[in-house]
Amino acid sequence: ISTNALMEQLRLKYQQKPWSETLKLVHFCMDKPLQRPVSNAPDGLLLSCMEKIQRTLNAKSLFSVMNRLESLSKQKGLSAHVSPSGTACYITSNMFYIEVQLEKDGNVIDVKLAHLGEAPVQLFLFGRMKNYDAFGKILEDLSNLYQIPGNSKMKAKGYFALQALERDLHTMSLVDRTQDVNRVTEVLHGKVGHLVPRTGGTLTNIEFYISPYQVLEAELNPGSQVCGTKAVVTVEGTDTLHKLPLSPLLVDSQAGEDGNPAFLPLTDELSMDLPAFFVLKFYQPIPMSLSNIEEIQRLTGMFSLILRLRIQITGLKVAPLYELIVQSTLKEKCSEDLSTHKSCFFVSLPDCPKHCYFINKGSEKSDLAGASVSKIPFSHPKCVPGVIEILRHQVVYNTLISSCVSDKHINEDDSELLYFEVLPHKNTSFSVFFLHPVKENLACVIIDVITSREVQCHLHLNPQDPTLNSSDDFIARAVKRCMSVPVVMRAIFRNAAKVKADS
């Protein structure tokens, strides 16, 4: 049958139907949740189109808002019920429920969330803005809190363990904290970074590093939502048992003799073996060296001591660390899909010739190898401060390397170029080679990231070459101030130019 004949048959079939019935049919079809992945369903294309239509439609009336909430709930695997009055929608599971109160015109009056055995709390995110995407994310996160093998009682124990962890993290965040401490100081120096407690369906998150340029951007734009590297804290189910605390293990925020909080022993009364573990989950995977991954796994005690076995268990793919950093940076900086095999990048700075950076990605051997880590499992709150310090150390190192990466891998003009090669050295140090501004010999700066707060630098020149008027201490201070290799190299060349002009 031809397309025109088919359309004519459809038109004749439904031309006698009132529009209200057609509208009900459309709502019914949009209301049906997906029972399997769209890609595998024969009617997947139609269902996908209906989902897009539903997201695009601006639900204003009471009827349309209720339909949207019911459909969204079913998509997330939850039940939805409308009150007899027709002005309240109850979204429920075995472990929690959400109550959405609406006015007759479809405007939201109030949204409340209650976990099993807890008093209801308000959810402010949905409100009058009716952000369905954000509301759907809340429903998804709430459901994931209870994705633990076992019955409702076991799932509730997992939730109690998460509550105990959150209280201990909050207590740890108060250790050595002064009243006038600001957010940036907490992020860079706090034992658990800047901690934002769980509210409603929004998980606890920890901000543990922020770059100098992000700090400057926040200062220049008061009220802006500039944030650094963050992780969310949650609990996940697993097929092995782990002893998790069901009650807080910290009684106060005072540090012990070694400067670390003193925890209560993990007794049978305070803990339970559960098919779950706690997780620090990152918004974007973080490239990490194998030595840092090994140190984190030693702290958490979650996996075997054999490195290769650990890599298999966690599903991590080993690759040269610099290649992973370049891939991650390009993904963040570029809207278009650039080849991750590029190693040459052009960086433009004000009042300076354009820089060309060649990044030698090294090999998969020893400390030059790494893996992209998306989450870190653990079972005891005491290991979190140590893990945060390792993460800060790695992110500072990644920040310096990524400062040499740009979306420009082709020189589009014939302007003067300064050439640099970035080469991995050992552990968390690297070398930047360049031509001496006066002589035809190579010069080198070695940057060694000792910790997230300590950086050592050494400038190496041919003994016969003129000084560049940049001491090791000057270069180290410049690195810590900007965390940008191109900006530091510009400062070195400016000091050299002054020496050349004076001579």
Side-chain angles (χ1 to χ4, degrees), residues 294-318:
E294 184 177 0
E295 182 64 18
I296 285 176
Q297 291 174 337
R298 185 190 65 79
L299 277 174
T300 58
M302 296 297 292
F303 302 112
S304 165
L305 293 178
I306 304 174
L307 182 59
R308 288 297 171 185
L309 181 58
R310 283 201 302 272
I311 295 301
Q312 292 172 9
I313 291 175
T314 54
L316 300 178
K317 182 179 179 181
V318 177

Side-chain angles (χ1 to χ4, degrees), residues 33-292:
L34 297 177
Q35 301 298 324
R36 53 186 181 274
V38 171
S39 58
N40 297 332
D43 54 350
L45 185 59
L46 177 60
L47 291 172
S48 176
C49 290
M50 287 185 172
E51 292 293 328
K52 291 178 181 178
I53 292 172
Q54 189 179 57
R55 288 196 299 268
T56 305
L57 289 175
N58 185 13
K60 292 183 178 180
S61 68
L62 178 62
F63 176 76
S64 58
V65 172
M66 283 295 186
N67 271 281
R68 186 73 186 272
L69 289 174
E70 288 184 281
S71 177
L72 185 62
S73 304
K74 291 177 181 178
Q75 290 171 25
K76 303 302 179 182
L78 302 171
S79 301
H81 311 279
V82 179
S83 67
S85 65
T87 57
C89 181
Y90 297 93
I91 301 170
T92 62
S93 76
N94 293 335
M95 309 305 298
F96 68 90
Y97 78 88
I98 294 176
E99 178 184 350
V100 183
Q101 291 284 350
L102 300 168
E103 295 176 342
K104 293 290 186 181
D105 59 1
N107 286 328
V108 179
I109 301 175
D110 197 12
V111 184
K112 293 181 179 179
L113 162 70
H115 290 272
L116 191 66
E118 291 186 0
V121 296
Q122 283 188 308
L123 278 180
F124 297 100
L125 187 58
F126 187 55
R128 293 187 176 273
M129 296 301 292
K130 298 178 186 172
N131 188 334
Y132 292 99
D133 289 337
F135 190 59
K137 182 66 168 64
I138 284 181
L139 296 180
E140 192 174 317
D141 287 341
L142 287 170
S143 297
N144 289 338
L145 284 180
Y146 298 102
Q147 296 302 313
I148 296 172
N151 54 23
S152 296
K153 184 178 179 181
M154 190 68 73
K155 295 177 187 294
K157 294 291 186 183
Y159 179 69
F160 295 152
L162 178 62
Q163 283 184 314
L165 170 68
E166 291 169 339
R167 290 173 189 167
D168 281 339
L169 290 178
H170 176 70
T171 305
M172 278 191 282
S173 71
L174 302 178
V175 175
D176 301 330
R177 179 179 177 178
T178 58
Q179 284 188 332
D180 58 346
V181 67
N182 59 31
R183 171 181 151 240
V184 173
T185 302
E186 273 192 315
V187 171
L188 297 176
H189 303 279
K191 282 194 174 295
V192 291
H194 177 64
L195 184 76
V196 179
R198 177 167 54 91
T199 55
T202 305
L203 298 175
T204 298
N205 68 76
I206 291 175
E207 187 180 6
F208 56 87
Y209 179 74
I210 187 168
S211 71
Y213 283 109
Q214 289 173 316
V215 174
L216 180 61
E217 185 181 353
E219 291 174 351
L220 295 177
N221 302 284
S224 60
Q225 300 297 315
V226 178
C227 64
T229 308
K230 300 168 70 174
V232 296
V233 182
T234 186
V235 62
E236 288 188 1
T238 178
D239 55 358
T240 56
L241 293 176
H242 300 281
K243 188 176 287 294
L244 300 184
L246 298 181
S247 299
L249 302 178
L250 276 174
V251 291
D252 57 50
S253 60
Q254 298 300 316
E257 295 181 358
D258 59 353
N260 294 317
F263 292 88
L264 295 173
L266 206 60
T267 62
D268 292 338
E269 291 77 18
L270 297 177
S271 66
M272 182 176 178
D273 288 330
L274 294 172
F277 46 44
F278 303 129
V279 173
L280 284 175
K281 187 178 294 185
F282 308 116
Y283 290 92
Q284 299 292 336
I286 297 178
M288 297 189 67
S289 67
L290 292 186
S291 57
N292 275 343

Side-chain angles (χ1 to χ4, degrees), residues 295-365:
E295 182 64 18
I296 285 176
Q297 291 174 337
R298 185 190 65 79
L299 277 174
T300 58
M302 296 297 292
F303 302 112
S304 165
L305 293 178
I306 304 174
L307 182 59
R308 288 297 171 185
L309 181 58
R310 283 201 302 272
I311 295 301
Q312 292 172 9
I313 291 175
T314 54
L316 300 178
K317 182 179 179 181
V318 177
L321 178 61
Y322 278 29
E323 182 176 324
L324 296 173
I325 296 174
V326 169
Q327 289 176 358
S328 175
T329 307
L330 286 176
K331 185 176 180 181
E332 181 182 346
K333 289 185 177 182
C334 308
S335 57
E336 59 187 62
D337 184 20
L338 290 177
S339 172
T340 56
H341 299 293
K342 299 296 181 183
S343 300
C344 186
F345 304 98
F346 297 90
V347 179
S348 298
L349 295 172
D351 306 320
C352 176
K354 187 182 291 186
H355 291 191
C356 175
Y357 286 90
F358 175 78
I359 298 182
N360 190 320
K361 296 175 183 176
S363 67
E364 297 181 8
K365 296 180 180 179

